[in-house]
Amino acid sequence: MNSFDGKDFIYVAKSLSKINKESYIRSAAGRYYYSIFWIARKYIESECGIYLNKNNVHSEIIEFFKDDFFKKTGISESLNRLRIIRNHADYGSYHFNKDLIESINKNYNHILNEIKKLIK
């Protein structure tokens, strides 16, 4: 298991998203994704005892939450949505703005709340 705890990326994401410039918003999108990615990864490894392949870890996490047990949580769909947005932030050409950050934050909080419910 990796000892790095990337959940603190959320503080970077929120700080970047306060600046209404596209480069900051694109960077915030990436930090939102990586914060929740690390939270989801930690849940899988710590709570479920499953250690993930380093080569396909992003896809593996999304696939893990497609399991019938987790399907009703919507974690897989929300996480995949954030991953796609993160990829577009790094490589895509469409416009990033404050409205998109609100949507990203909503998906982030949905995943976070669902994982917290699973831990209880």
Side-chain angles (χ1 to χ4, degrees):
M1 182 165 64
N2 192 315
S3 63
F4 176 70
D5 189 353
K7 74 177 188 294
D8 289 343
F9 278 144
I10 191 60
Y11 304 116
V12 177
K14 289 183 183 278
S15 179
L16 288 169
S17 66
K18 290 178 183 175
I19 300 168
N20 197 14
K21 290 187 177 182
E22 190 167 4
S23 58
Y24 286 82
I25 293 170
R26 284 176 178 263
S27 296
R31 297 306 90 193
Y32 268 102
Y33 170 72
Y34 279 110
S35 177
I36 205 65
F37 161 83
W38 281 102
I39 291 167
R41 182 178 185 164
K42 185 175 181 179
Y43 169 78
I44 293 168
E45 292 180 346
S46 297
E47 300 293 324
C48 303
I50 298 171
Y51 299 96
L52 302 164
N53 180 339
K54 290 182 181 180
N55 295 326
N56 300 314
V57 69
H58 296 271
S59 297
E60 281 187 61
I61 290 172
I62 291 167
E63 287 300 314
F64 176 86
F65 286 108
K66 285 183 179 177
D67 184 83
D68 286 341
F69 180 79
F70 302 104
K71 200 160 196 87
K72 67 180 181 342
T73 67
I75 292 172
S76 179
E77 294 81 4
S78 292
L79 191 57
N80 191 51
R81 195 172 302 118
L82 291 181
R83 183 178 183 206
I84 290 168
I85 292 169
R86 197 275 311 163
N87 284 334
H88 282 290
D90 287 348
Y91 310 111
S93 60
Y94 70 81
H95 184 68
F96 276 67
N97 59 37
K98 287 282 196 182
D99 293 336
L100 185 58
I101 285 295
E102 289 176 25
S103 173
I104 291 168
N105 190 49
K106 184 176 180 179
N107 279 278
Y108 173 91
N109 286 324
H110 167 77
I111 298 166
L112 183 63
N113 290 332
E114 290 299 324
I115 289 175
K116 283 179 179 179
K117 286 182 203 173
L118 292 169
I119 293 171
K120 289 182 181 178

